[in-house]
Amino acid sequence: TLLMSNSQIGESSKQILRRLSSDGVTVTIATGRSSNSSLPIVAELSLSQTHTPLICFNGSVCYMIKSAEEEEEEEEGGRTKRE
């Protein structure tokens, strides 16, 4: 598990995940938690990949989360945002 007792991800874990993402590894977040409680964790990681797979509710729901940069590009391009 990545979360410490204070429900935060340690700095060393964040750095490792960011480095992996920068090196082209697709970092996937899998949790028993809901998507609402998982999205802030994905945002906190600030991964360099354009999409982050997010598996919630012990595998019963899967999402593909867009990066902030991808969302901005879609808004600037006049395309409709999709989640």
Side-chain angles (χ1 to χ4, degrees), residues 2 4 6-7 10-11 16 25-26 28 30 32 41 44 46-47 49-51 53 58 68 70 73 75 78 80:
L2 289 175
M4 300 181 303
N6 63 357
S7 297
E11 281 303 315
I16 290 168
V25 175
T26 300
T28 301
I41 295 167
E44 181 182 348
S46 301
L47 300 174
Q49 58 202 40
T50 57
H51 293 81
N58 290 318
E70 181 78 10
E73 287 177 15
E75 287 177 6
T80 304

Side-chain angles (χ1 to χ4, degrees), residues 35-53:
S35 55
N36 287 340
S37 65
S38 303
L39 288 172
I41 295 167
V42 173
E44 181 182 348
L45 289 174
S46 301
L47 300 174
S48 62
Q49 58 202 40
T50 57
H51 293 81
T52 300

Side-chain angles (χ1 to χ4, degrees), residues 42-69:
V42 173
E44 181 182 348
L45 289 174
S46 301
L47 300 174
S48 62
Q49 58 202 40
T50 57
H51 293 81
T52 300
L54 175 61
I55 304 166
C56 299
F57 297 107
N58 290 318
S60 62
V61 180
C62 300
Y63 299 96
M64 189 66 78
I65 308 301
K66 295 179 184 176
S67 67
E69 292 81 17

Side-chain angles (χ1 to χ4, degrees), residues 17-34:
L17 292 171
R18 288 176 186 144
R19 187 175 331 124
L20 287 168
S21 180
S22 293
D23 289 347
V25 175
T26 300
V27 175
T28 301
I29 306 299
T31 181
R33 298 170 184 254
S34 70

